């Protein structure tokens, strides 16, 4: 783990879970897998606290454990999983677009709690939704369950591995740590629960649910004591599936930018059809025949079969090479070239960074070297039509920033510089890695700045919070308008201004973190799929 | 009494006669004649006389001495050169053979010119001599020096009345050794606008996609005609020039190219294929990293918490937050 990644992980852990968890987590990331006692000893925290911290981390899938020989259990932190915490807002937003508020809240609860049983999720979400609804209306459990089932069917949530039920009565001592297993088939199987009920509104002290006799109150508490029907079956959000969805989105928008709306819809249909059938790391989707695609087009699009065929031919012939033709049966079999698409997107990211940092002439030289693979300095000047001095300057600048590298080809065995060819080349994988590292550091910088801004104005924030609390309590006890006005004036106008600026800055920094995370996603997907191919 | 040996000279042993005969023979065989052929023609002439005649013709510049794999060939110099040679002879009556040699070498280089060091290699003359001779020739207005665009310190020499070749002067993009960047930029933008408007009209025509796409393409010939008609270029531009400009547009990521097979004879086809160009949009918008100040920061590597440059006191961030 690089220094930048460790720094970022420590910032994230601290923000979400607090100091102690951060200390333990960073220790584990830095030193790999360690047993419990060693962690406690090295970090100087008490065993009890270490246990609690590890509990929190394991609940959120940030730490895994393994039983080694001689019964020693070692804990290992998953650094990449910690970095996923940056992407939570994007996951939640995606679910909102696909499954509206209910889905959004389900995924939010799962992400915030790590693992939950289905009944717990449904109950919580129903309660939350009921609060936001108008008076008198409540959210039915059935609706929430339906959304949950739909999420499980499309693989956005999955079951966590659980302790296997041992049929044989093993008389030996239980192992120090259970090994969790999950059957492929069961991963998305929703247990048959009959969850009946409605969401409950959180009652504030004076809101009287009229008609509810007080006798009913004890019954609710007994409800909680009943055994939950699906105890032991925990669910978690399936991040891989979300990543697949993001990747599909990126491909569709790239096609829309390059061609037109209809082509992007066709590509979206093709990707939707291969969502479940293709694994996320496959280089190509399953071949889809043109007839199938025609049948699966969304209802609003009534284009004729011929036009569809033309579009598919155009897509297959496009220099982008996102879609390829793999056969002629069934009206033409088409596949989507996932690896090529990711490579193109990563290259476009690199080009965009070069353009913004160094200027469009540099971007021209960069694309030239990318296309020609290896090229001499003299040829760069000729092809790019840029004066020699400027071209030289730009090449050296990009070389020093590690976007390019030099390949030496000696003419003589003694490698004399005057008799050697020097060719410029771009290695996309290493440039992507370099850029990824820069992204991590940038996000760490943005988070630090945000914390700094908040700390600077801590006094002001506390004051405004106190004032709000006072106002709320006074409103509850029915104070007069004049008194409320007086309290509000405790915050002066310039202070109000400052608060506004602070809010705006924090929002901007937050939004920027999410934007940089989009770049991280593209680069990471590209690096992952290239490494798998090798 | 000693007998006076009288050398019987054959009737046409007059040296001038011999030379004329040899010239006639050369005219008969414009590709060159060997010594053997001359001997066959005039068997009664001794080898020595023959050699003298040939040497005279060579030094007068009317014959060329060539080497072939069978032996030596003598060829008549063609009349044009012979004319200029006599012209130069009249000027160089007093010059020595070295100058003639240097002149010969420069002439052979044609319109690409030749560098002084190469002249030295070919003639094996010392540097000082070469320089003297070159100055001489230049003052007599027989050769001229042209600055090469490739290496600005290098001067190549060529005959006075020849046009320098494109590779030396750089062609249409160079005027007096200066690369004309604004000219290239203007051409760049004009070509792009042309292709963009073509793509727009194709998109708006709303016909079936195949036709739409095909009509958004423009061949290099069309672009060339458009630019010529625009008349923004003072210099005559060829289709290859336009293709180099279109290539720079490809490297800008604004245009894509395909090659299709075209019948020989359709306008603009070269060797049976045509290049088609089309304006395109970039496939992703500017990426997230460059929207944050850290993506473009020049002192990124020096920045860390607690240092001179840190995220807390970053001036770029402060400016960016104030937008």
């Amino acid at each position: 783990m690089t220094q930048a990644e460790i720094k970022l992980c420590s910032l994230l852990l601290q923000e979400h879970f607090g100091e102690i968890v951060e200390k333990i987590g960073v220790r584990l990331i830095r030193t790999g897998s360690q047993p419990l006692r060693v962690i406690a000893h090295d970090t100087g925290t008490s065993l009890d606290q270490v246990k609690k911290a590890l509990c929190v981390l394991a609940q959120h899938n940030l730490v895994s454990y393994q039983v080694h020989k001689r019964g020693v259990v070692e804990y290992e932190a998953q650094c990449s999983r910690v970095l996923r915490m940056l992407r939570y807002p994007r996951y939640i937003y995606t679910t909102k677009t696909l499954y509206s508020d209910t889905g959004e809240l389900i995924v939010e609860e799962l992400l915030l709690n790590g693992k939950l049983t289905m009944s717990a999720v449904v109950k919580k979400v129903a309660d939350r939704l009921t609060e936001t609804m108008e008076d008198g209306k409540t959210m039915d459990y059935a609706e929430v369950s339906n959304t949950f089932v739909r999420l499980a069917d499309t693989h956005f949530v999955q079951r966590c591995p659980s302790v296997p039920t041992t049929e044989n009565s093993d008389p030996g001592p239980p192992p120090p740590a259970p090994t969790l297993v999950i059957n492929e088939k069961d991963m998305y199987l929703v247990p048959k629960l009959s969850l009946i009920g409605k969401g409950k509104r959180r009652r504030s002290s004076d809101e009287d649910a009229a008609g509810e006799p007080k006798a009913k109150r004890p019954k609710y508490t007994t409800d909680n004591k009943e055994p939950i029907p699906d105890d032991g079956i925990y669910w978690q959000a399936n991040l891989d599936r979300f990543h697949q969805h993001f990747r599909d989105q990126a491909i569709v928008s790239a096609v829309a930018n390059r061609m037109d709306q209809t082509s992007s819809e066709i590509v979206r249909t093709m990707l939707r059809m291969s969502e479940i059938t293709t694994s996320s790391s496959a280089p190509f989707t399953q071949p889809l025949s043109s007839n199938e695609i025609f049948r699966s087009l969304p209802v609003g699009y009534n284009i004729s079969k011929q036009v569809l065929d033309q579009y598919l031919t155009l897509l297959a012939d496009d220099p982008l090479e996102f879609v390829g033709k793999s056969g002629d049966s069934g009206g033409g079999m088409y596949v989507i070239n996932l690896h090529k698409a990711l490579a193109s997107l990563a290259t476009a990211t690199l080009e965009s960074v070069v353009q913004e940092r160094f200027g469009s002439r540099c971007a021209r030289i960069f694309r030239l070297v990318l296309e020609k693979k290896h090229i001499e300095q003299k040829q760069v000047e000729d092809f790019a039509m840029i004066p020699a001095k400027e071209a030289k300057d730009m090449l050296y600048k990009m070389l020093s920033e590690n976007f390019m590298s030099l390949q030496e080809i000696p003419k003589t065995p003694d490698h004399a510089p005057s008799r050697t060819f020097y060719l410029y080349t771009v290695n996309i994988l290493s440039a992507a890695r370099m850029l990824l590292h820069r992204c991590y550091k940038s996000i760490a910088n943005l988070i630090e700045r945000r914390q700094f801004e908040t700390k600077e104005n801590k006094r002001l924030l506390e004051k405004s919070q106190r004032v709000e609390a006072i106002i709320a309590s006074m409103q509850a006890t029915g104070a007069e308008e004049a008194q409320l006005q007086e309290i509000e004036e405790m915050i002066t106008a310039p202070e109000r201004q400052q608060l506004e600026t602070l809010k705006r800055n924090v929002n901007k920094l937050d939004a920027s973190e999410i934007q940089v995370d989009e770049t991280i996603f593209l680069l990471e997907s590209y690096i992952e799929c290239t490494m798998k191919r090798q | 009494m000693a007998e006076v040996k009288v050398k019987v000279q054959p009737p046409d042993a007059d040296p001038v006669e011999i030379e004329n005969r040899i010239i006639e023979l050369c005219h008969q065989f414009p590709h060159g004649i060997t010594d053997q052929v001359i001997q066959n023609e005039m068997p009664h002439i001794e080898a020595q006389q023959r050699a003298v005649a040939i040497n005279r013709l060579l030094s007068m510049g009317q014959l060329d001495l060539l080497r072939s794999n069978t032996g030596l060939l003598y060829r008549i110099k063609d009349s044009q050169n012979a004319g200029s040679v006599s012209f130069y002879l009249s000027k160089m009556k007093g010059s020595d053979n070295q100058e003639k040699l240097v002149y010969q070498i420069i002439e052979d280089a044609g319109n690409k010119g030749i560098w002084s060091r190469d002249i030295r290699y070919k003639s094996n003359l010392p540097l000082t001599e070469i320089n003297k001779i070159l100055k001489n020739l230049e003052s007599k207005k027989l050769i001229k020096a042209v600055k090469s665009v490739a290496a600005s310190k290098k001067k190549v020499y060529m005959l006075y009345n020849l046009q320098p070749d494109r590779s030396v002067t750089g062609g249409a993009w160079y005027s007096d050794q200066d690369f004309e960047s604004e000219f290239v930029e203007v051409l760049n933008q004009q070509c792009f606008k042309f292709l963009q408007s073509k793509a727009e009209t194709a998109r708006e025509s709303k016909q079936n996609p195949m036709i739409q796409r095909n009509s958004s393409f423009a061949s290099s010939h069309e672009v060339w005609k458009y630019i010529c008609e625009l008349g923004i270029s003072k210099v005559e531009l060829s289709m290859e020039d336009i293709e180099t400009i279109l290539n720079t547009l490809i490297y800008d990521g604004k245009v894509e190219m395909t090659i299709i097979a075209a019948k020989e004879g359709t306008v603009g086809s070269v060797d049976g294929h045509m290049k088609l160009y089309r304006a395109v949009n970039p496939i992703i918008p500017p990426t997230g990293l460059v929207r944050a100040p850290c993506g473009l920061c020049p002192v990124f590597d020096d920045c860390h918490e607690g240092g001179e440059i840190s995220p807390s006191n970053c001036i770029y961030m402060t400016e960016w937050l104030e937008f």
Side-chain angles (χ1 to χ4, degrees):
Chain A
M1 295 303 119
T2 66
Q3 202 62 17
E5 283 177 20
I6 299 180
K7 181 94 175 46
L8 186 54
C9 290
S10 107
L11 281 171
L12 285 170
L13 286 172
Q14 188 170 26
E15 223 180 313
H16 282 90
F17 300 119
E19 288 276 341
I20 301 179
V21 175
E22 183 245 335
K23 207 164 26 160
I24 311 285
V26 170
R27 176 101 206 123
L28 275 175
I29 295 177
R30 251 193 242 269
T31 53
S33 65
Q34 290 194 315
L36 181 62
R37 297 217 171 260
V38 179
I39 304 174
H41 178 260
D42 283 342
T43 55
T45 38
S46 71
L47 205 59
D48 199 33
Q49 285 190 323
V50 175
K51 282 189 198 171
K52 287 201 185 129
L54 283 173
C55 234
V56 170
L57 289 169
Q59 170 77 5
H60 282 85
N61 298 322
L62 301 173
V63 144
S64 66
Y65 56 85
Q66 224 182 349
V67 185
H68 284 272
K69 50 182 193 278
R70 291 203 251 124
V72 174
V73 180
E74 290 200 341
Y75 296 91
E76 191 172 350
Q78 319 280 344
C79 179
S80 52
R81 182 64 182 80
V82 178
L83 295 171
R84 294 293 150 264
M85 297 208 309
L86 277 170
R87 224 168 271 168
Y88 283 3
R90 204 171 166 197
Y91 299 142
I92 298 173
Y93 180 70
T94 310
T95 332
K96 186 185 180 120
T97 51
L98 292 174
Y99 294 102
S100 83
D101 289 340
T102 325
E104 174 199 356
L105 287 178
I106 294 179
V107 170
E108 191 179 330
E109 286 295 325
L110 280 175
L111 285 172
L112 285 177
N113 289 302
K115 307 180 172 101
L116 279 180
T117 59
M118 180 172 165
S119 36
V121 173
V122 169
K123 188 159 162 315
K124 276 198 191 172
V125 171
D127 286 344
R128 276 179 75 175
L129 280 171
T130 315
E131 267 172 52
T132 59
M133 290 167 104
E134 301 149 7
D135 283 336
K137 281 202 182 175
T138 52
M139 190 67 175
D140 201 10
Y141 276 12
E143 205 175 312
V144 181
S145 319
N146 277 342
T147 320
F148 193 95
V149 169
R150 273 164 61 201
L151 277 170
D153 280 338
T154 45
H155 294 200
F156 278 108
V157 298
Q158 67 186 25
R159 273 209 219 179
C160 306
S162 51
V163 183
T165 49
T166 47
E167 286 98 19
N168 50 346
S169 50
D170 197 344
T179 36
L180 303 176
V181 293
I182 178 82
N183 203 340
E184 242 336 288
K185 299 191 306 258
D186 294 337
M187 238 199 288
Y188 306 103
L189 210 57
V190 181
K192 295 272 178 295
L193 299 175
S194 54
L195 290 167
I196 314 167
K198 293 198 192 316
K200 295 177 215 22
R201 215 179 274 276
R202 186 180 47 177
R203 290 162 215 287
S204 48
S205 51
D206 59 350
E207 186 188 293
D208 198 4
E212 286 258 350
K214 292 226 172 12
K216 281 228 174 167
R217 290 276 174 85
K219 262 225 183 123
Y220 291 141
T221 47
T222 49
D223 256 352
N224 292 338
K225 295 225 179 52
E226 274 174 22
I228 313 170
D230 61 344
D231 193 24
I233 307 179
Y234 288 90
W235 294 82
Q236 66 186 5
N238 184 1
L239 300 187
D240 276 333
R241 177 73 183 86
F242 279 104
H243 292 165
Q244 204 180 353
H245 188 261
F246 295 155
R247 184 198 64 194
D248 293 348
Q249 259 182 339
I251 296 179
V252 166
S253 72
V255 173
N257 281 336
R258 184 47 68 100
M259 306 184 82
D260 62 356
Q261 194 63 23
T262 323
S263 321
S264 70
E265 277 305 317
I266 297 176
V267 174
R268 198 201 301 269
T269 316
M270 286 174 76
L271 285 167
R272 201 160 18 97
M273 285 160 68
S274 19
E275 259 169 13
I276 315 281
T277 54
T278 318
S279 80
S280 58
S281 55
F284 298 95
T285 60
Q286 299 291 341
L288 300 163
S289 77
S290 145
N291 296 329
E292 281 173 21
I293 301 175
F294 184 59
R295 279 197 295 268
S296 323
L297 276 180
V299 180
Y301 269 86
N302 42 355
I303 55 177
S304 70
K305 183 83 172 41
Q306 281 169 321
V307 175
L308 172 71
D309 280 334
Q310 281 183 347
Y311 269 115
L312 283 169
T313 326
L314 282 179
L315 277 167
D317 285 335
D318 197 74
L320 265 185
E321 286 181 30
F322 279 10
V323 177
K325 190 161 182 189
S326 74
D328 284 317
S329 59
M333 305 290 281
Y334 295 90
V335 290
I336 298 198
N337 205 336
L338 294 168
H339 276 181
K340 186 78 174 52
L342 281 173
S344 305
L345 288 168
T347 316
T349 311
L350 282 173
E351 288 169 11
S352 152
V353 173
V354 169
Q355 178 149 354
E356 298 293 327
R357 266 180 85 178
F358 303 120
S360 40
R361 291 180 137 196
C362 248
R364 197 192 281 184
I365 295 182
F366 187 71
R367 285 198 193 93
L368 169 63
V369 178
L370 263 176
E371 184 168 323
K372 303 278 180 191
K373 304 273 187 300
H374 293 272
I375 188 170
E376 259 191 321
Q377 186 178 314
K378 185 75 182 50
Q379 291 170 312
V380 168
E381 293 159 15
D382 289 335
F383 279 118
M385 316 279 307
I386 293 181
K389 246 195 282 241
E390 289 178 32
K392 224 188 285 201
D393 191 34
M394 289 177 190
L395 278 170
Y396 291 161
K397 204 167 10 164
M398 281 198 277
L399 192 64
S400 68
E401 297 280 344
N402 288 326
F403 280 102
M404 289 208 201
S405 45
L406 273 178
Q407 172 72 38
E408 292 178 8
I409 301 187
K411 293 189 224 184
T412 55
D414 64 351
H415 289 250
S418 60
R419 290 189 289 271
T420 322
F421 288 115
Y422 290 100
L423 301 175
Y424 288 92
T425 180
V426 174
N427 184 346
I428 302 187
L429 191 59
S430 63
R433 282 215 174 96
M434 185 266 302
L435 207 57
L436 190 61
H437 182 262
R438 193 170 170 123
C439 286
Y440 288 141
K441 189 162 173 204
S442 303
I443 295 199
N445 286 350
L446 288 167
I447 295 182
E448 275 188 16
R449 180 60 182 236
R450 179 162 50 91
Q451 289 178 343
F452 173 75
E453 295 271 328
T454 323
K455 204 162 60 154
E456 281 272 299
N457 297 303
K458 201 159 77 147
R459 191 194 65 85
L460 189 56
L461 276 171
E462 280 175 1
K463 181 172 170 191
S464 85
Q465 271 178 339
R466 273 200 317 267
V467 167
E468 271 174 33
I470 297 175
I471 292 184
S473 68
M474 288 184 76
Q475 268 180 340
T477 54
E480 289 170 3
E481 197 50 46
Q483 278 178 312
L484 285 174
Q485 199 81 353
E486 209 181 292
I487 304 285
E488 271 189 25
E489 272 164 27
M490 271 171 57
I491 306 182
T492 61
E495 282 180 346
R496 221 176 275 279
Q497 186 87 355
Q498 223 176 333
L499 275 174
E500 272 299 313
T501 323
L502 174 65
K503 193 157 82 154
R504 201 173 47 114
N505 288 351
V506 167
N507 281 344
K508 204 185 237 195
L509 286 162
D510 245 338
S512 182
E513 281 169 38
I514 299 182
Q515 283 170 346
V516 181
D517 181 62
E518 283 175 19
T519 314
I520 288 185
F521 171 68
L522 282 175
L523 291 171
E524 267 181 3
S525 315
Y526 167 68
I527 294 177
E528 202 182 306
C529 87
T530 321
M531 295 311 291
K532 257 194 227 152
R533 204 154 39 141
Q534 278 174 3
Chain B
M1 205 142 23
E3 255 193 14
V4 176
K5 278 217 169 81
V6 176
K7 218 181 195 161
V8 176
Q9 259 200 338
D12 55 349
D14 186 14
V16 181
E17 273 288 321
I18 302 177
E19 284 169 19
N20 285 340
R21 284 298 305 281
I22 296 179
I23 290 182
E24 268 172 54
L25 272 171
C26 285
H27 275 298
Q28 266 185 321
F29 298 100
H31 295 295
I33 52 174
T34 62
D35 203 47
Q36 190 67 26
V37 172
I38 303 179
Q39 207 174 355
N40 289 344
E41 261 302 305
M42 302 177 275
H44 42 267
I45 302 181
E46 289 174 14
Q48 197 187 23
Q49 284 173 307
R50 205 169 51 235
V52 162
I54 291 175
N55 272 336
R56 268 212 55 161
L57 285 173
L58 278 174
S59 64
M60 276 207 301
Q62 288 185 321
L63 273 190
D64 254 337
L65 178 63
L66 302 169
R67 176 187 279 275
S68 74
N69 31 11
T70 47
L72 294 173
L73 280 177
Y74 307 107
R75 190 176 67 182
I76 193 89
K77 258 213 178 113
D78 54 358
S79 51
Q80 197 187 34
N81 267 338
S84 74
V85 162
S86 58
F87 168 68
Y88 117 90
L89 267 184
S90 63
K91 287 206 157 197
M92 282 179 62
K93 273 283 166 54
S95 322
D96 47 4
N97 283 333
Q98 285 178 341
E99 287 203 5
K100 286 186 212 159
L101 183 60
V102 169
Y103 185 81
Q104 192 91 346
I105 297 173
I106 294 181
E107 192 182 7
D108 284 336
N111 63 353
K112 286 223 187 333
I114 188 166
W115 194 24
S116 64
R117 195 192 283 185
D118 293 334
I119 300 180
R120 193 153 40 110
Y121 281 156
K122 283 204 178 159
S123 63
N124 286 325
L125 294 170
L127 184 59
T128 46
E129 282 290 328
I130 295 277
N131 285 340
K132 205 164 54 156
I133 295 171
L134 286 173
K135 256 201 265 289
N136 241 337
L137 290 171
E138 266 183 278
S139 62
K140 289 194 198 146
K141 284 200 180 304
L142 290 167
I143 62 174
K144 67 179 175 200
V146 170
K147 219 153 59 92
S148 166
V149 74
S152 59
K153 304 290 189 317
K154 212 162 110 163
K155 291 206 306 200
V156 287
Y157 295 95
M158 60 181 70
L159 292 186
Y160 197 73
N161 43 1
L162 284 181
Q163 269 293 357
D165 185 54
R166 278 170 80 99
S167 64
V168 176
T169 64
W173 313 123
Y174 289 82
S175 67
D176 303 327
Q177 313 305 318
D178 273 330
F179 184 70
E180 286 221 351
S181 350
E182 303 99 38
F183 181 48
V184 170
E185 276 303 309
V186 165
L187 276 177
N188 197 318
Q189 280 168 14
Q190 287 300 326
C191 290
F192 180 56
K193 258 194 256 210
F194 173 67
L195 286 170
Q196 221 177 7
S197 60
K198 197 138 198 267
E200 271 299 316
T201 44
R203 220 195 320 263
E204 258 140 48
S205 64
K206 291 266 177 270
Q207 292 169 321
N208 75 49
M210 209 53 128
I211 299 186
Q212 223 175 37
R213 184 165 181 267
N214 286 344
S215 62
S216 65
F217 274 115
S219 75
S220 46
H221 187 81
E222 281 176 47
V223 184
W224 176 68
K225 214 161 49 162
Y226 172 75
I227 295 289
C228 284
E229 276 165 25
L230 263 190
I232 48 180
S233 157
K234 308 176 293 276
V235 185
E236 174 80 25
L237 288 169
S238 73
M239 214 159 90
E240 278 94 32
D241 292 330
I242 297 294
E243 279 182 10
T244 36
I245 296 277
L246 287 166
N247 278 341
T248 64
L249 275 172
I250 297 179
Y251 302 134
D252 275 336
K254 296 186 184 149
V255 154
E256 70 178 13
M257 171 182 87
T258 42
I259 302 185
I260 62 165
K263 265 205 321 236
E264 281 289 329
T266 51
V267 155
S269 64
V270 179
D271 295 331
H273 55 252
M274 265 169 65
K275 294 198 177 130
L276 299 174
Y277 297 87
R278 182 168 79 111
V280 291
N281 293 325
I283 62 171
I284 58 167
T287 186
L289 176 61
V290 299
R291 293 200 210 142
C294 295
L296 310 174
C297 177
V299 288
F300 185 73
D301 294 320
D302 299 327
C303 169
H304 56 92
E305 196 51 39
E308 267 295 314
I309 305 173
S310 74
S312 328
N313 63 9
C314 177
I315 50 174
Y316 297 116
M317 280 221 198
T318 321
E319 261 182 54
W320 174 69
L321 285 173
E322 276 164 24
F323 268 138

